[in-house]
Amino acid sequence: MRYTIFDIPILRSILQVLAIIVLWIFGWRRAGQVPDAPKFVTIAAPHTSNWDLLAGLAIILAFKVKIYWLGKDHFQTPFRRFFLNGSAVSRESFKIR
């Protein structure tokens, strides 16, 4: 099992409060609830600006959801797995027949 920033209890609570503040600054608010299922899929597309990542992270942190995601292999950082729990996918090897 991989541990991420979402697994640290005190940090997770602090990040939740910061995320709610960021959403409030942008004029958004938390509404609804996370599905009551052990696993579920959420798709966020299309991306319209560079602010989508910040908004998405704020929403994820505000609801205290542990995520796993796939992204382009161009997003290379040593902290990718610990901070965001992401896996890179190379589109070079994918061929449509």
Side-chain angles (χ1 to χ4, degrees):
M1 180 158 106
R2 291 190 302 191
Y3 292 101
T4 66
I5 199 166
F6 302 104
D7 296 317
I8 303 169
I10 187 70
L11 188 56
R12 191 172 184 183
S13 297
I14 292 169
L15 289 174
Q16 181 186 27
V17 171
L18 289 175
I20 291 170
I21 291 169
V22 167
L23 291 173
W24 177 77
I25 289 170
F26 284 124
W28 292 18
R29 63 182 173 86
R30 214 171 43 152
Q33 60 188 18
V34 177
D36 188 25
K39 293 182 181 182
F40 58 92
V41 175
T42 302
I43 299 173
H47 300 293
T48 55
S49 74
N50 291 334
W51 290 99
D52 292 343
L53 178 63
L54 178 63
L57 283 175
I59 292 167
I60 289 163
L61 291 169
F63 282 102
K64 285 189 175 181
V65 177
K66 184 173 181 179
I67 62 165
Y68 301 92
W69 60 274
L70 297 173
K72 287 192 242 178
D73 60 347
H74 299 291
F75 183 63
Q76 295 295 329
T77 173
F79 303 108
R80 179 185 66 222
R81 288 193 172 223
F82 176 70
F83 182 65
L84 297 173
N85 208 12
S87 296
V89 175
S90 173
R91 297 188 302 172
E92 300 287 325
S93 61
F94 180 74
K95 297 187 189 229
I96 300 175
R97 295 177 198 224

